Amino acid sequence: MTDTWRGRAAAVATLTFDVDAETPILAHGRRYARHAMTMSHQAYGPEVGVPRLLDMLDELGVPATFFVPGWVAEQRPGLAAGIVERGHEVAHHSYSHRAPTSMSEKEERADFERALEVFARQGIEISGHRAAMWEATWFTAELVAEHGLLYDSSLMADDRPYRLSTRSGELVELPVHWSLDDWEQYAFLPQPHVGSVIEDPRKVESMWRAELDAMRHYGCLFNLTSHPFLSGRPARAMALRRLVEYALGCGDVEFLRCRDLAARAGRDAALSPREPEPPSVDADVYPVE
């Protein structure tokens, strides 16, 4: 093994699953708790999708990272521990799945720390974080570093890992992108409106395979985000399985848990730290707040 984040692989793949369950819908309004169809649509994720995907990962012999909101872990005791027992990582995905950009710094901190408390009570080691909806603020990375986590996975400034330097210390960013998220491909609900397209899983598989091949060429991080209530559905799970089988057959793709990749990237001297800060915006040029 070399001292770089990729090791000897052409590309590194991180399979990540956001186990949101009911939280993204409740974040639109707690009134949706009265909608039995909507709540059952979301509950499918932890109740059916997660077990199906865990079995698939076992059969393929690849590790994954499951980003779990604290509320979901609290409502379903044993869910997070069951994922860890299968050899995978559980990571922080807020408490409520409310976007940090909709909160004050005080509210973001309270939500963040409430999730940490849930995982601490359950004995779950937390190394990384992903903001709800990926809507991190400029304060988010500092908050993650302050609590001693190794990495964040919410930003989009690269297609390779990079290091973030904050006032609370340094952490690794494992960047994401909409093109590698199943939400844009499969999410559909009439109320609240969260998406209106249901793509053919074969088309999605082809698109993700093309992205993987390009990332093998350029030496990138294939950071795939899936949701068990979406990709846990049968045809979609089979498409994901075929994608992983293809990657394994390439012979130059390494699958890692996010925490393992972050630890490796943290040791990579070639990754120069970046300081997350907003652009300077002239009110005369952009008068609308």
Side-chain angles (χ1 to χ4, degrees):
M1 184 65 62
T2 64
D3 241 355
T4 67
W5 69 270
R6 275 197 294 122
R8 295 190 176 91
V12 172
T14 46
L15 298 180
T16 71
F17 298 94
D18 290 4
V19 190
D20 297 340
E22 299 89 351
T23 58
I25 306 306
L26 295 175
H28 282 268
R30 65 177 182 274
R31 67 188 179 278
Y32 290 108
R34 301 193 299 269
H35 293 212
M37 176 279 290
T38 303
M39 291 293 98
S40 67
H41 179 264
Q42 300 303 120
Y44 180 97
E47 294 173 12
V48 179
V50 168
R52 177 173 290 151
L53 293 165
L54 285 171
D55 287 345
M56 180 195 76
L57 294 168
D58 280 352
E59 292 161 7
L60 295 172
V62 294
T65 299
F66 290 74
F67 289 89
V68 183
W71 186 92
V72 176
E74 196 170 51
Q75 294 289 314
R76 294 175 170 84
L79 173 67
I83 292 169
V84 172
E85 287 168 4
R86 303 284 283 268
H88 306 292
E89 175 189 1
V90 167
H92 188 304
H93 192 35
S94 81
Y95 177 81
S96 63
H97 207 278
R98 292 166 57 220
T101 50
S102 70
M103 302 180 187
S104 67
E105 284 190 9
K106 181 178 179 181
E107 290 170 330
E108 182 179 1
R109 175 183 293 279
D111 187 86
F112 186 95
E113 292 179 347
R114 188 172 182 180
L116 285 180
E117 290 166 4
V118 171
F119 294 120
R121 288 196 300 270
Q122 295 184 359
I124 304 297
E125 179 187 357
I126 298 295
S127 299
H129 166 267
R130 173 172 286 168
M133 307 300 295
W134 294 340
E135 292 190 14
T137 67
W138 295 104
F139 173 63
T140 302
E142 181 180 334
L143 187 59
V144 175
E146 176 188 329
H147 287 83
L149 275 61
L150 290 176
Y151 71 89
D152 176 71
S153 184
S154 314
L155 305 180
M156 302 189 184
D158 209 325
D159 46 33
R160 302 173 180 87
Y162 55 99
R163 289 156 60 193
L164 291 175
S165 179
T166 79
R167 290 182 298 178
S168 297
E170 195 173 283
L171 69 155
V172 171
E173 180 64 34
L174 303 181
V176 290
H177 192 258
W178 304 112
S179 59
L180 290 176
D181 186 353
D182 68 348
W183 192 287
E184 282 61 51
Q185 309 305 321
Y186 299 138
F188 171 84
L189 270 179
Q191 202 180 148
H193 178 78
V194 298
S196 56
V197 177
I198 299 178
E199 289 286 6
D200 183 340
R202 292 169 296 185
K203 176 183 176 181
V204 177
E205 178 192 349
S206 175
M207 180 181 70
W208 287 346
R209 184 182 293 202
E211 197 70 27
L212 176 64
D213 284 340
M215 288 183 157
R216 290 167 57 217
H217 175 80
Y218 286 107
C220 301
L221 167 61
F222 184 83
N223 191 4
L224 184 68
T225 300
S226 298
H227 298 77
F229 79 94
L230 297 173
S231 285
R233 295 277 171 181
R236 300 167 184 178
M238 290 301 296
L240 180 57
R241 182 190 186 103
R242 289 191 298 270
L243 175 71
V244 175
E245 289 173 335
Y246 172 75
L248 290 170
C250 290
D252 58 3
V253 178
E254 184 178 11
F255 286 86
L256 291 173
R257 298 180 303 179
C258 287
R259 70 158 54 117
D260 299 323
L261 174 58
R264 188 187 288 179
R267 297 190 299 268
D268 190 340
L271 301 183
S272 300
R274 309 180 192 184
E275 295 186 9
E277 57 183 19
S280 177
V281 180
D282 188 334
D284 293 332
V285 177
Y286 297 103
V288 179
E289 183 67 44

